[in-house]
Amino acid sequence: DGGITQSPKYLFRKEGQNVTLSCEQNLNHDAMYWYRQDPGQGLRLIYYSQIVNDFQKGDIAEGYSVSREKKESFPLTVTSAQKNPTAFYLCASSIDRDTPGYTFGSGTRLTVV
Amino acid sequence: GQQLNQSPQSMFIQEGEDVSMNCTSSSIFNTWLWYKQDPGEGPVLLIALYKAGELTSNGRLTAQFGITRKDSFLNISASIPSDVGIYFCAGQLGDRGSTLGRLYFGRGTQLTVWP
């Protein structure tokens, strides 16, 4: 079955450490996205990529980095520069930037202690 | 970024009641979508709307694309306990081929259904 897989589901890290969240899709989608979700704040866009080897900053990119070396994969690194990294992170993909409707992964809950 | 104002923020209803929520924007959107998120999971697409005035149903769910293209509504009839979750509206700006094709999300409506 085609889908989008995020791993791990739960992640704990010490303050000051970088951490990378995985996102893989086998839907043959061109576009991929990372969102951050905090209670009562909805979904805020961190980074997005519309094609391999290209990506753009979203609304809250500071303290995050991404890469898009393969169509299937769009990992997100939460760096030590992110002031408040504890959150629920959602990865999504869409066929292309013009086709409405994203498919979401099941999310990674990151807790920094 | 674009601001979508979604209301109400939360709803507490009894099983069997109908539910209405809406989303408004200061910008014109070409597409409106409604998603549902179960606790600890990613959002799942419920309904997509592509034309102003369009009314679309999916089982007990009905959504409308506002005539002004700046708003959308979602109704749930005869609610059941499994309707519990967060409902998000989302809109897409721009014409095909523009970089404005990304989705913008409302802050969500948290629905609680009492048996």
Side-chain angles (χ1 to χ4, degrees), chain B residues 20-77:
Chain B
S20 291
M21 59 191 78
N22 68 80
C23 208
T24 61
S25 169
S26 57
S27 300
I28 291 174
F29 284 97
N30 288 335
T31 305
W32 282 96
L33 305 107
W34 286 92
Y35 285 84
K36 183 197 176 196
Q37 183 181 30
D38 290 327
E41 296 296 326
V44 174
L45 182 64
L46 298 173
I47 292 179
L49 303 155
Y50 302 103
K51 292 194 313 186
E54 180 180 353
L55 187 71
T56 297
S57 293
N58 179 6
R60 295 178 294 106
L61 277 60
T62 302
Q64 184 160 25
F65 192 143
I67 292 291
T68 65
R69 295 169 65 192
K70 293 184 178 181
D71 57 6
S72 180
F73 306 87
L74 177 70
N75 296 315
I76 305 173
S77 62

Side-chain angles (χ1 to χ4, degrees), chain A residues 4-8 20-24 31-37 43-49 56-61 64-68 73-78 88-93 102 104-105 107-108, chain B residues 102:
Chain A
I4 183 164
T5 301
Q6 289 186 245
S7 60
T20 298
L21 282 58
S22 169
C23 179
E24 304 276 333
M32 296 186 75
Y33 311 82
W34 274 105
Y35 283 86
R36 171 181 172 139
Q37 185 176 20
L43 305 178
R44 294 184 290 167
L45 183 64
I46 305 172
Y47 267 99
Y48 63 105
S49 168
Q56 288 80 39
K57 292 182 180 179
D59 301 323
I60 56 164
Y64 299 98
S65 66
V66 293
S67 63
R68 187 88 187 275
S73 178
F74 191 40
L76 173 74
T77 297
V78 185
F88 190 53
Y89 290 88
L90 286 161
C91 181
S93 68
Y102 298 168
F104 281 90
T108 292
Chain B
R102 59 166 279 193

Side-chain angles (χ1 to χ4, degrees), chain A residues 25-42:
Chain A
Q25 54 100 357
N26 60 4
L27 299 165
N28 200 33
H29 284 178
D30 283 331
M32 296 186 75
Y33 311 82
W34 274 105
Y35 283 86
R36 171 181 172 139
Q37 185 176 20
D38 297 283
Q41 297 239 37

